[in-house]
Amino acid sequence: MLNKSFTDLLNEMAVLLELNQDNVFRIRAYQTAAQAVAALTSDIASLTREQLLEVSGIGKGIADKIEEFVKTGHVKEHDDLKEKFPAGLLDLLNVSGLGPKRARLLYDELKIDSFDKLKKAAAAGRLQKIPGFGEKIEQNILKGLHLAEQARSRMLLWEARRLVNDVLLQLRGVPGLLEIEPAGSLRRGKETVGDLDILCASRNPDALIERFTHLPSVERVLAAGATKSSVLLSGGVQCDLRVVAAGSFGAALQYFTGSKEHNVALRERALRMGYTVNEYGLYRVSDKKQAKPVAGKTEQDIYKKLGLSFIPPELRENRGEIAAAEKNRLPELLEESDVKGCFHNHTDLSDGTSSLEDMADAAEKKGWEWYAVGDHSQSLKVAGGMAPAAVRKKIEKIRALNKKRRVCRLLSASEVDILADGRMDYADDLLAEIDVVTGSIHSGFHQSEEQITGRLVKAMENPHVDCIAHLSGRLLGRREPYAFNTDKVLQVAERTGTALEINGQPDRQDLTDINALAAKKRGIPMAVSTDAHSTEQLNYMSIAVTVARRAWLEKSDILNTKTYPELLEWLKD
DNA sequence: GCCGTTTTCGGCCCGACTGTTTTCAGTCG
């Protein structure tokens, strides 16, 4: 699959073109194209020129470059640009306060092309001698340099939610506060979050900014204006606060939820309809002074005035949601309250930390109607995988427990390893006794694409395997997905009716939103799972549901929304 | 470089904050 490397190439082209001070719209076109390629599920190498040109954001120029890249592994213009600027110069753009213009100036004037040279020049006071630079900018660059060196990668959605809730709690009591809501990629439910955005409506913005910049967890104040402030929380997470009047809250929430691409498309639509939209409201273009907003108090009003049904934040990525909203054809997204149970989880019989009884109690407490209690299979020694005899004993225990339980019905489940040669880790007769069999890969990550695809296909063709867990095997920030042919695997899942899991572990989130959407298009059933290893981790269901929502999934796409009798019916099939 | 409910040419989203400057450029989101 060349898509990832080509996406990276397009993004790097955009940066290089910025340094080259190329046309800003050409630069934007490369960024848009990178987004478009990232959202494709088919390999760019497998698409015809006609198919490429159908993709919005890809025109003749980019299509040429795709063909060149597929054929030769290079793009000449990219190579030429890279030749022009030293590699270290690109790194410098990661320094906050240093954009393409200033970086270029530093390179032209002082031949600065590395963190090291930048640090020395700034410390010696040589930057402030450059026209347009001054003492403050020099100091800010030094600070930015320090931050970049201890650069924090994006945090996981789960962690971001925890951090933002902590800040919200401390701001809720500030006098004059009317509304407060997290925005940004966190509200859109992106798998990782760069920094935290919080939006408020208040009668007393000063008090809010004052409290915000003095929170105990604030390490440094980056900016503090009348309506906007940025701080660095301890641990290096940036948190931005915006304050608006109540009448603008909806417009501002829409604005700061993004995504940028969604907002650009929305504002272009607004202009075509004779409106202009900013964070304060929707205005007629003829209303030059923006005296009378047409909408602004709620997000719903903004979308309605633009002839659109309300677009849930998770869909705002400019992947066709505006066209769908126009035709009133948005999906009715899965809600966590639709979920009636979970397939994939563990107990202390393998590598979990809670007992079978405690897990079952916790599932019941979540209001679930059924719960398939799982554990690892025998090969996964590091996780205390269970031998066949232990599995049979566990099945007996579950049957006995079920006799005493009324509310949440228990089923037996197992996460069974797909071995290096594609066989399942238990014999078929045992698999037949287990209610829910989930197959997963925990070994042989470095096998070839053919081998791993073959293992997944063989597992799905086993009639006892109900579901495949964490399809790609990635761990966010730690492990790349193993090599497998997505199209082929989805094709076989469609044919065999094998379900695919959306794993809610914060560092997995696997299927990805893009693959889950591709699976939906083929009508493949999916399961949202917690993969819980303790009672608390059953709350990871919220993460799995968020991924499903980002993938446009509805109740009917998800097995967990089935009632207990419906579930038994599906398992029988 | 892309795109079309004005357009195949001429547009391309919008504003806050900061710092270096006396009206604006650069950066950021």
Side-chain angles (χ1 to χ4, degrees), chain A residues 453-454 457 460 485-493 495 522:
Chain A
T453 306
V457 168
M460 288 188 286
N485 184 325
T486 315
D487 282 342
K488 169 93 183 163
V489 167
L490 294 184
Q491 198 184 314
V492 175
R495 170 165 60 77
R522 289 178 178 272

Side-chain angles (χ1 to χ4, degrees), chain A residues 7 39 41 43 259 356-357 371 387 406 456 485:
Chain A
T7 302
T41 47
D43 196 335
S259 66
L356 198 164
E357 291 84 351
Y371 185 68
R406 287 278 174 277
L456 289 166
N485 184 325

Side-chain angles (χ1 to χ4, degrees), chain A residues 292-539:
Chain A
K292 246 181 75 189
V294 178
K297 205 167 163 44
T298 70
E299 282 191 319
Q300 278 81 354
D301 293 345
I302 305 262
Y303 284 104
K304 198 170 162 192
K305 281 286 177 208
L306 293 174
L308 303 171
S309 45
F310 178 74
I311 301 176
E314 293 92 335
L315 300 186
R316 300 182 194 169
E317 299 291 347
N318 199 25
R319 292 184 192 152
E321 70 278 9
I322 293 179
E326 183 176 45
K327 296 185 200 109
N328 202 14
R329 280 215 195 119
L330 284 173
E332 248 186 72
L333 295 184
L334 178 75
E335 307 267 355
E336 196 175 348
S337 56
D338 295 328
V339 172
K340 294 185 164 66
C342 177
F343 282 163
H344 180 184
N345 46 73
H346 301 269
T347 76
D348 59 6
L349 293 169
S350 62
D351 61 347
T353 55
S354 304
S355 69
L356 198 164
E357 291 84 351
D358 286 350
M359 291 301 281
D361 286 345
E364 189 165 304
K365 221 174 182 175
K366 278 191 84 71
W368 289 345
E369 187 178 325
W370 50 265
Y371 185 68
V373 213
D375 273 299
H376 283 290
S377 63
Q378 54 191 349
S379 286
L380 205 60
K381 304 283 186 209
V382 287
M386 294 174 76
V391 174
R392 292 199 163 96
K393 226 167 115 185
K394 180 172 147 183
I395 293 173
E396 287 309 313
K397 187 171 179 182
I398 287 171
R399 285 200 186 124
L401 278 173
N402 252 344
K403 284 191 183 133
K404 290 188 265 173
R405 286 176 178 269
R406 287 278 174 277
V407 185
C408 181
R409 310 295 302 172
L410 300 182
L411 296 103
S412 61
S414 191
E415 181 184 11
V416 183
D417 268 48
I418 301 168
L419 302 176
D421 59 4
R423 281 179 305 123
M424 299 303 292
D425 194 20
Y426 291 140
D428 279 350
D429 61 337
L430 179 57
L431 294 181
E433 292 175 47
I434 301 168
D435 295 322
V436 182
V437 174
T438 296
S440 63
I441 287 184
H442 291 118
S443 61
F445 296 133
H446 298 297
Q447 288 179 349
S448 69
E449 179 175 321
E450 290 69 33
Q451 281 175 305
I452 293 189
T453 306
R455 285 164 77 185
L456 289 166
V457 168
K458 200 166 165 190
M460 288 188 286
E461 284 176 341
N462 183 317
H464 301 296
V465 174
D466 301 298
C467 183
I468 300 291
H470 45 71
L471 184 67
S472 84
R474 71 160 180 189
L475 293 175
L476 282 162
R478 285 193 287 150
R479 189 170 73 205
E480 288 292 302
Y482 36 68
F484 68 101
N485 184 325
T486 315
D487 282 342
K488 169 93 183 163
V489 167
L490 294 184
Q491 198 184 314
V492 175
E494 182 181 352
R495 170 165 60 77
T496 58
T498 312
L500 296 177
E501 170 191 88
I502 296 172
N503 188 297
Q505 288 281 320
D507 59 352
R508 287 195 184 271
Q509 303 188 55
D510 183 10
L511 305 173
T512 59
D513 52 1
I514 287 172
N515 284 341
L517 178 58
K520 176 190 167 93
K521 286 182 179 155
R522 289 178 178 272
I524 296 166
M526 280 170 271
V528 280
S529 293
T530 63
D531 197 355
H533 286 64
S534 68
T535 54
E536 296 81 35
Q537 289 188 7
L538 290 178
N539 293 324

Side-chain angles (χ1 to χ4, degrees), chain A residues 537-558:
Chain A
Q537 289 188 7
L538 290 178
N539 293 324
Y540 290 162
M541 186 56 85
S542 68
I543 298 281
V545 168
T546 299
V547 176
R549 290 172 63 86
R550 287 181 55 82
W552 296 52
L553 302 193
E554 304 179 87
K555 203 173 159 180
S556 57
D557 298 313
I558 300 291

